Amino acid sequence: MGRISADSANPPPLRTAIAGTGMIGRVHLDAVRRSGAPVVGVSSSSPARAKEAAAELGVERAFDSSQALVTSDDVDVVHICTPNAAHAELAGLALRAGKHVVCEKPLTTDAATADALAALAARTGLVAAVPFVYRYHPMAAEARSRVRDGRAGDIRLLHGHYLQDWLAEPGDTNWRVDPVAGGPSRAFADIGSHWCDLVEWVTGHRITEVTAVTQTVDRDGGRPATEDAVQLLLRTDRGATGTLTVSQISPGRKNRLWFEVDGARTSLAFDQENPESLFVGSRGENAVVLRDPATLSPAAARLSTVPGGHPMGYLDCFAAFVRDVHSAIRAGGAASGEPATPPAFPTFDDAARMVRLTEAVLGSAADRSWKEVS
Ligand SMILES: NC(=O)c1ccc[n+]([C@@H]2O[C@H](COP(=O)([O-])OP(=O)(O)OC[C@H]3O[C@@H](n4cnc5c(N)ncnc54)[C@H](O)[C@@H]3O)[C@@H](O)[C@H]2O)c1
């Protein structure tokens, strides 16, 4: 199962099934459909909810359980879009059953399990991808190109934030707040990991050391809750330093992922909520570069599926990510290495690294020390 012939002139469709039909399950469904692949089934937290979701979403089959979905003979690719605590078991079952896997972040709620899953994926040779999809914004890809071709110069400083407000009120809650369903980290694992993956990918640097403080506000009658905010100092393997603020309690900030990387020649700044442009700062003139496939670097132009002035966004990132995943499956399932034109999709290796980083952040906050990231 899951092995798609690479040399067939008319390859069979990639039969896809999605475990979890909440916010992000529906985004995956849209992206898979845009790729032309059939979504053959869904699962939810109960058989009845799966039936409801299948009917609502126009999907033929409702699986009684996610375990049945990820091991079904009728499925080639599984997308795991459940709450965090279920990811590890389902991804392991899927890989052992020979399925290509797209698993939501965080890959797992602890680093040892994430490393084991990444190793399992490597042994199977199946595609194992994790949607750190902000890599698929054309102007983020443009920033990466300008670092890679030397126009930015050596990167010295990384800084930015990822801010949301949907847990700012005392009564706000979600499964993510509960460490059992969400894992020991919330704000960092949920959104800080996106920022770190994106900035590492743009710069080619790896975060090797962190020191962090966390904050958890009173909510839900004082029941155990995961962190609402993290502030971080970091160092990279290539000598850059950086700061990051991550928060889900910043009123008015909906999904404000913003980064700046300061190179020896230019600074590059990207704002996910205004993704059609890139700030390029220099000692001479500053510029705001607009997304226009005619003028962007090839890596950014290939992600620009509509002309400049026709705004692209989050759903387009997911569609491009799924397109790349399907290309890799068609090419024989190699989960690592860059496709012919970067950017590559993030793999279980990348995601396992983010889980290790998350553990370093929590460990540093707990004992007020610097921690190395393996
Ligand atoms: N990559 C991204 O940009 C991104 C964005 C949002 C969420 N996510 C990730 O996606 C996952 C889901 O988040 P969400 O925002 O969609 O949450 P959500 O609460 O909107 O949806 C989760 C769904 O999973 C269902 N569910 C619970 N247990 C299940 C099980 N065992 N099998 C199948 N379904 C089950 C719930 O009924 C619910 O419908 C999380 O891991 C989250 O971190 C990633």
Side-chain angles (χ1 to χ4, degrees):
M1 278 295 97
R3 302 284 182 182
I4 309 299
S5 162
D7 53 10
S8 165
N10 290 304
L14 293 171
R15 299 165 302 171
T16 300
I18 300 177
T21 54
M23 191 287 266
I24 211 66
R26 288 156 195 257
V27 170
H28 284 240
L29 181 95
D30 172 72
V32 173
R33 284 183 168 158
R34 280 169 68 173
S35 77
V39 177
V40 298
V42 292
S43 62
S44 189
S45 51
S46 69
R49 289 188 67 164
K51 276 201 185 72
E52 267 171 44
E56 184 197 338
L57 300 169
V59 173
E60 199 171 309
R61 185 163 170 193
F63 284 88
D64 280 351
S65 73
S66 293
Q67 287 81 356
L69 178 147
V70 299
T71 54
S72 167
D73 285 346
D74 304 324
V75 172
D76 303 307
V77 189
V78 301
H79 289 234
I80 298 168
C81 301
T82 63
N84 305 345
H87 293 177
E89 183 208 351
L90 296 176
L93 281 172
L95 287 169
R96 288 190 187 92
K99 314 300 177 193
H100 302 286
V101 182
V102 173
C103 182
E104 267 301 347
K105 38 56 55 176
L107 178 57
T108 66
T109 54
D110 74 282
T113 308
D115 287 339
L117 264 183
L120 174 64
R123 283 199 300 280
T124 63
L126 294 158
V127 167
V130 175
F132 286 117
V133 286
Y134 297 111
R135 293 185 185 193
Y136 280 84
H137 276 295
M139 300 314 288
E142 180 66 18
R144 183 182 197 237
S145 293
R146 287 168 183 254
V147 173
R148 282 161 74 95
D149 69 17
R151 273 183 284 174
D154 288 343
I155 300 300
R156 296 161 167 169
L157 299 178
L158 321 177
H159 50 112
H161 50 241
Y162 195 158
L163 310 175
Q164 299 179 335
D165 73 356
W166 63 291
L167 288 164
E169 303 280 337
D172 291 334
T173 193
N174 181 264
W175 58 260
R176 288 167 171 85
V177 174
D178 170 10
V180 175
S185 167
R186 182 193 354 123
F188 192 83
D190 199 33
I191 58 175
S193 60
H194 268 298
W195 189 96
C196 293
D197 176 82
L198 180 61
V199 170
E200 285 195 344
W201 179 76
V202 164
T203 59
H205 287 225
R206 292 285 168 265
I207 297 168
T208 48
E209 266 184 289
V210 293
T211 186
V213 287
T214 59
Q215 199 184 129
T216 307
V217 301
D218 282 339
R219 70 172 76 241
D220 211 11
R223 278 218 292 256
T226 42
E227 87 284 356
D228 291 292
V230 178
Q231 290 180 299
L232 193 69
L233 263 179
L234 60 91
R235 289 196 185 95
T236 76
D237 57 346
R238 292 165 59 185
T241 54
T243 56
L244 167 64
T245 298
V246 180
S247 156
Q248 294 180 317
I249 51 169
S250 293
R253 296 304 190 182
K254 302 302 173 189
N255 199 40
R256 165 87 181 183
L257 187 170
W258 179 91
F259 72 74
E260 178 166 315
V261 298
D262 298 343
R265 292 194 194 91
T266 58
S267 306
L268 303 166
F270 175 74
D271 172 7
Q272 188 278 150
E273 290 180 328
N274 294 289
E276 290 284 286
S277 65
L278 178 72
F279 170 84
V280 181
S282 72
R283 284 289 292 277
E285 289 183 349
N286 293 339
V288 175
V289 176
L290 299 181
R291 186 184 61 75
D292 179 348
T295 57
L296 296 181
S297 61
R302 89 166 180 115
L303 298 173
S304 291
T305 49
V306 288
H310 300 71
M312 293 181 65
Y314 185 68
L315 297 177
D316 300 299
C317 293
F318 260 92
F321 163 78
V322 168
R323 271 200 310 275
D324 271 4
V325 168
H326 286 189
S327 299
I329 294 172
R330 297 275 182 227
S336 59
E338 303 230 337
T341 315
F345 56 83
T347 66
F348 275 24
D349 283 338
D350 299 314
R353 182 177 157 64
M354 286 304 129
V355 181
R356 292 198 296 277
L357 179 55
T358 303
E359 279 194 355
V361 165
L362 289 189
S364 160
D367 65 14
R368 301 181 172 207
S369 66
W370 279 88
K371 294 283 182 219
E372 289 187 4
V373 185
S374 55

